[in-house]
């Protein structure tokens, strides 16, 4: 019965990894929108897009929180199963020992058995689940780092166009970009 918990814990650990990847993507999207809003605050104010950006950021945050809630619910179910399994395994073991085998229980057998079950349960269920969960999170983090490290250099990246300062209204030079050139980037 205790060994039957291992595949369940493995499933929970893999599911945590998937949820972590989804939450990280949602967080990246929200932070990207927030960064755009902060860097283009002047343009957003001029164009009257405050509510649009606030709504988009709120939607991204709602998706992020939904993922965090799913992960928290899964973690709570996993913890409940972990703590209930100890009582169920002990009850089944002692019921079989007394009922099926007809042997009496004494305090030494009970305490020794419970101690062995607790040690085994922590090793097989709790720590195994943590190792699968954290390994899944590490794989997700490493993939994100790899994607980041494979990006083009900042100086050639089109995402950095909006960092150049705006020219005063009505004046355009080759050094400064006008509002219309930035409009397309800010709306994306």
């Amino acid at each position: 019965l205790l060994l039957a918990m291992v595949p369940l814990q493995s499933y929970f650990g893999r599911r945590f990894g998937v949820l972590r990847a989804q939450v990280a993507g949602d967080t990246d999207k929200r932070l990207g929108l927030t960064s755009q809003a902060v860097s283009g605050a002047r343009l957003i104010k001029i164009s009257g897009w405050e509510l649009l950006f606030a709504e988009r950021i709120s939607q991204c945050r709602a998706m992020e929180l939904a993922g965090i809630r799913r992960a928290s619910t899964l973690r709570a179910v996993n913890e409940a199963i972990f703590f209930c399994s100890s009582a169920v395994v002990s009850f089944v073991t002692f019921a079989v020992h007394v009922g099926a085998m007809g042997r009496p229980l004494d305090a030494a057998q009970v305490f020794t058995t419970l101690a062995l079950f607790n040690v085994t349960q922590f090793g097989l269920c709790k720590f195994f689940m943590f190792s699968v969960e954290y390994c899944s999170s590490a794989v997700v983090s490493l993939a994100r780092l790899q994607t980041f490290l494979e990006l083009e250099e900042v100086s050639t990246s089109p995402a950095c166009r909006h960092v150049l300062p705006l020219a005063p209204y009505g004046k355009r030079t080759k050094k400064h970009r006008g509002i219309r050139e930035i409009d397309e980037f800010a709306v994306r």
Side-chain angles (χ1 to χ4, degrees):
L1 189 60
L2 195 57
L3 292 176
M5 299 300 290
V6 173
L8 183 65
Q9 298 297 320
S10 178
Y11 166 76
F12 280 146
R14 285 192 309 270
R15 188 72 184 125
F16 281 127
V18 169
L19 288 173
R20 171 72 183 116
Q22 290 173 351
V23 168
D26 292 339
T27 302
D28 285 347
K29 187 175 178 183
R30 180 182 57 85
L31 290 177
L33 283 172
T34 303
S35 176
Q36 284 181 10
V38 169
S39 64
R42 182 187 303 172
L43 178 66
I44 290 172
K45 285 296 230 183
I46 290 171
S47 302
W49 293 339
E50 299 98 335
L51 295 178
L52 174 70
F53 266 87
E55 181 180 328
R56 289 176 69 190
I57 291 170
S58 294
Q59 288 172 350
C60 289
R61 181 65 179 155
M63 288 173 41
E64 182 183 3
L65 286 175
I68 292 170
R69 278 189 204 100
R70 283 192 304 271
S72 296
T73 301
L74 192 60
R75 183 170 279 119
V77 168
N78 189 32
E79 291 292 323
I81 289 172
F82 172 75
F83 287 113
C84 291
S85 68
S86 175
V88 171
V89 168
S90 299
F91 176 75
V92 169
T93 302
F94 295 138
V96 167
H97 184 77
V98 173
M101 300 173 89
R103 297 182 184 165
L105 285 176
D106 63 352
Q109 289 176 332
V110 171
F111 288 123
T112 304
T113 305
L114 288 176
L116 288 174
F117 280 159
N118 284 335
V119 168
T120 306
Q121 183 184 19
F122 269 99
L124 282 178
C125 296
K126 190 73 163 179
F127 296 134
F128 180 74
M129 186 274 303
F130 281 150
S131 67
V132 172
E133 177 184 350
Y134 294 138
C135 285
S136 297
S137 292
V139 167
V140 169
S141 297
L142 288 174
R144 290 166 49 88
L145 278 173
Q146 185 68 33
T147 302
F148 173 75
L149 292 173
E150 291 175 355
L151 289 175
E152 293 182 27
E153 291 296 320
V154 172
S155 60
T156 60
S157 175
C160 293
R161 290 184 297 183
H162 72 286
V163 175
L164 296 174
L166 289 175
Y169 190 75
K171 295 182 182 178
R172 288 194 182 179
T173 64
K174 290 184 180 183
K175 181 179 169 187
H176 296 93
R177 294 185 184 268
I179 290 176
R180 290 190 182 152
E181 292 175 60
I182 296 178
D183 265 354
E184 177 197 347
F185 178 77
V187 172
R188 275 190 253 156

